[in-house]
Amino acid sequence: MLPPLSYSLAKGTHLDSHDDALRLLLRYPLKTICIHTAWRPVFERLDSADPLPFRDLAGLMPDVPSQKIAQFFDQLVHKGFLERSGVDFPQAWRTVSIVIPVRNRPGEIADCLDSLQLLDYPDDKIEIIVVDDASDDATPDVVEQYLVQLIRLDQHRQASYCRNLGARHATGDILAFIDSDCQANPMWLKLLLPAFEDPSLAAVGGRVDGVFEEKSLDRYEKAKSSLMVSSRAKRSQPDDPFFYVPACNFLVRREVFLELGGFNTRLVVGEDVDLCWRLQKSGHGLEFRPDGKVYHKHRNDLYSFCRRRFDYGTSEPLLQKRHPDKIKQFVVPPAAAGFWGCILLWAIVGLPFFGMAAALVLAADGFLKWFRFRRQAMSMGLVFSATLRSTAAFFYHLCAFVSRYYLMAGLLAGVVAPVLTLAVVGMHLLVAVAEHRLKKAALGLPGFVLLFTFEQLAYQAGVWWGCLRHRIVSPLVPRFSILSS
């Protein structure tokens, strides 16, 4: 039984409460938000306890409708100030059509359908539609053993076509897409469907976890799958133009899906990205809730792993061509760029002057930020700590971009520019070590670095091939912009 919907202050969030002000302060990324003092009883309770049930918190604001309180709390969740757990069960469950495309996967589809039989959701509110994509093995026979609607194709048409066909046959208010090599958590629908209580939301997705853990590749995928959207709740925002959720764990209002024309059947990979981008462009909201899990049987042999990453890479130039407004932007904080520029000159020239200049730039940046935020209960130590982290984060993101798109070119440059190769490899290794620590992968650092390297090389080979094929270079050349203070 799931706990009731509850909220708590996020890790690193501090409540600053004075007679005339109420603020939430997040240590990293450093930001603060002012709250109306009428909310004081609510946030003082949150500041002094573990996760509290939403109904108890809403009882402290009897004059405010519960729905508005929930929307306000969820905004703070998406901004990183609050954490949400549990679920608020609606009084009337929505009808759901679960659509599964499948081709030549008899064992996988059986496991998938077995997991759906265990869903904690009213049976009369669910219909399951399996679209068989012209399988030439026992897959249709396996599906027929279950009480589901089976649609059989005579010609292989790919997953997007199958999903669209299933959606046209669906009768539920909500379409729930899951892949045949996935298994649903029993609480999958109960944890995701409450998102639709917000009328501005048209779609929601959940975490895609791994089924296997035996091989090193299984444990790598479990920690760093390309289907891993985030570790916390997210919502579509104008400042995050590339946000999407994968199609193997995707719920959407049926009328919105049909209105948008469904998945683009000309895309073999990246069709979920394309749909999510079109959905957001049409003014609809999209949300990611990590609690609503499905478990994916990742490809756990090296060739299939690299081939899939290559395919993902080839989709990026095609998506860029279809969505020319989705240009990568690399935001450059002037102080951080100045600091690392001085460090680079110090390393090349060897003059201590540049080292001192770097220290001065860092100190000046921290002091200016503290002066700007000194009235918002931010100590000098807190501001300088955040300045150090943001300066390091800028360099990390630069290294991550080089590793993602230019590691292969850097290795090939070793014949004529060995120093450049050493620099690129160093940047790549820095990112690999940081990812190993951040993702908390259950495998050793050497194995993680090796698989991370294979992933980066396979993906960028696909990107470069796609760029040559579609005659486009924008995926490899971001638009640089200066971060305004």
Side-chain angles (χ1 to χ4, degrees):
M1 188 66 167
L2 285 173
L5 178 65
S6 301
Y7 292 90
S8 61
L9 292 184
K11 183 179 179 180
T13 301
H14 169 68
L15 175 66
D16 176 41
S17 178
H18 298 294
D19 293 338
D20 59 344
L22 187 68
R23 296 187 183 91
L24 291 177
L25 170 65
L26 185 62
R27 294 180 180 276
Y28 188 80
L30 184 61
K31 57 183 177 180
T32 185
I33 185 171
C34 292
I35 308 292
H36 195 281
T37 52
W39 293 88
R40 188 184 304 279
V42 172
F43 286 94
E44 287 182 347
R45 283 287 304 278
L46 285 170
D47 191 41
S48 60
D50 292 329
L52 292 171
F54 171 73
R55 291 180 182 178
D56 292 351
L57 295 170
L60 300 173
M61 302 287 290
D63 297 331
V64 182
S66 296
Q67 186 176 3
K68 289 189 176 182
I69 297 176
Q71 289 176 358
F72 177 54
F73 283 178
D74 286 343
Q75 289 176 8
L76 294 178
V77 169
H78 302 136
K79 294 178 184 296
F81 292 101
L82 292 183
E83 291 181 354
R84 179 180 56 210
S85 59
V87 64
D88 187 17
F89 300 111
Q91 294 183 359
W93 292 111
R94 298 173 186 271
T95 55
V96 182
S97 297
I98 302 175
V99 179
I100 314 167
V102 64
R103 175 176 167 81
N104 293 339
R105 285 178 172 171
E108 287 86 347
I109 189 63
D111 290 341
C112 178
L113 293 174
D114 284 340
S115 74
L116 296 179
Q117 307 305 309
L118 301 176
L119 285 175
D120 185 4
Y121 201 80
D123 292 339
D124 61 341
K125 297 293 184 179
I126 297 178
E127 69 173 351
I128 300 175
I129 302 173
V130 179
V131 183
D132 179 75
D133 193 11
S135 294
D136 53 18
D137 61 5
T139 296
D141 299 329
V142 171
V143 176
E144 286 180 342
Q145 299 175 21
Y146 295 84
L147 295 175
V148 301
Q149 180 181 350
L150 173 62
I151 302 173
R152 301 183 64 170
L153 300 181
D154 297 327
Q155 181 181 356
H156 178 37
R157 303 297 295 268
Q158 298 292 347
S160 293
Y161 181 91
C162 294
R163 294 189 187 106
N164 291 349
L165 181 60
R168 290 196 295 272
H169 282 77
T171 60
D173 296 328
I174 303 297
L175 300 173
F177 294 101
I178 186 172
D179 283 357
S180 59
D181 56 353
C182 292
Q183 299 169 30
N185 182 284
M187 294 295 176
W188 177 44
L189 295 181
K190 275 192 172 181
L191 285 164
L192 292 181
L193 282 169
F196 294 106
E197 295 300 305
D198 183 348
S200 69
L201 277 179
V204 63
R207 180 184 174 96
V208 181
D209 211 337
V211 171
F212 306 119
E213 297 185 30
E214 291 79 11
K215 295 183 178 181
S216 295
L217 195 49
D218 296 328
R219 296 192 292 274
Y220 178 85
E221 287 278 31
K222 202 168 182 67
K224 200 183 177 304
S225 167
S226 56
L227 301 175
M228 196 82 69
V229 174
S230 175
S231 60
R232 63 180 183 85
K234 292 185 67 175
R235 188 165 183 160
S236 51
Q237 300 290 342
D239 60 353
D240 188 7
F242 299 99
F243 177 53
Y244 81 101
V245 295
C248 60
N249 187 356
F250 182 68
L251 277 63
V252 60
R253 299 182 193 271
R254 183 167 59 95
E255 67 271 16
V256 173
F257 181 85
L258 297 176
E259 173 188 314
L260 293 173
F263 292 99
N264 188 327
T265 56
R266 288 175 290 183
L267 296 175
V268 178
V269 289
E271 72 280 7
D272 43 9
V273 181
D274 171 75
L275 176 61
C276 288
W277 288 357
R278 286 190 285 120
L279 184 146
Q280 292 171 77
K281 285 180 181 179
S282 65
H284 297 290
L286 171 67
E287 188 166 295
F288 171 74
R289 295 192 172 198
D291 290 342
K293 293 181 183 180
V294 302
Y295 304 92
H296 182 237
K297 294 182 178 179
H298 295 290
R299 295 163 174 81
N300 59 1
D301 66 90
L302 190 59
Y303 172 78
S304 299
F305 169 79
C306 291
R307 181 54 194 257
R308 193 58 176 170
R309 293 311 193 272
F310 178 87
D311 290 341
Y312 287 150
T314 61
S315 72
E316 188 173 326
L318 184 56
L319 287 167
Q320 184 77 84
K321 206 164 187 177
R322 294 188 61 83
H323 300 270
D325 57 310
K326 301 289 185 180
I327 302 293
K328 292 191 188 76
Q329 290 216 16
F330 200 94
V331 180
V332 181
F339 171 83
W340 290 110
C342 290
I343 293 294
L344 179 63
L345 288 172
W346 187 18
I348 295 174
V349 180
L351 292 177
F353 166 78
F354 292 109
M356 291 186 291
L360 287 173
V361 169
L362 190 63
D365 185 33
F367 181 79
L368 288 174
K369 287 178 178 176
W370 173 78
F371 185 79
R372 189 164 62 248
F373 293 116
R374 71 189 188 283
R375 294 183 179 177
Q376 300 183 18
M378 294 189 186
S379 67
M380 183 176 290
L382 177 61
V383 172
F384 272 81
S385 173
T387 301
L388 285 171
R389 294 185 68 169
S390 62
T391 302
F394 166 72
F395 184 65
Y396 169 79
H397 290 306
L398 178 62
C399 293
F401 183 83
V402 171
S403 171
R404 188 65 161 169
Y405 297 99
Y406 288 98
L407 176 60
M408 182 172 57
L411 294 175
L412 295 175
V415 179
V416 294
V419 175
L420 176 62
T421 297
L422 285 174
V424 171
V425 170
M427 296 170 82
H428 168 71
L429 291 176
L430 185 149
V431 175
V433 172
E435 286 289 300
H436 180 263
R437 181 174 180 180
L438 290 170
K439 304 297 184 182
K440 298 180 174 60
L443 73 160
L445 179 61
F448 183 92
V449 171
L450 181 63
L451 292 173
F452 180 72
T453 301
F454 275 116
E455 177 180 15
Q456 298 293 75
L457 290 173
Y459 182 86
Q460 64 195 246
V463 173
W464 281 76
W465 170 249
C467 286
L468 289 172
R469 182 180 178 185
H470 298 290
R471 299 178 183 178
I472 186 173
V473 297
S474 53
L476 302 169
V477 184
R479 180 184 297 161
F480 288 88
S481 59
I482 303 297
L483 178 65
S484 58
S485 58

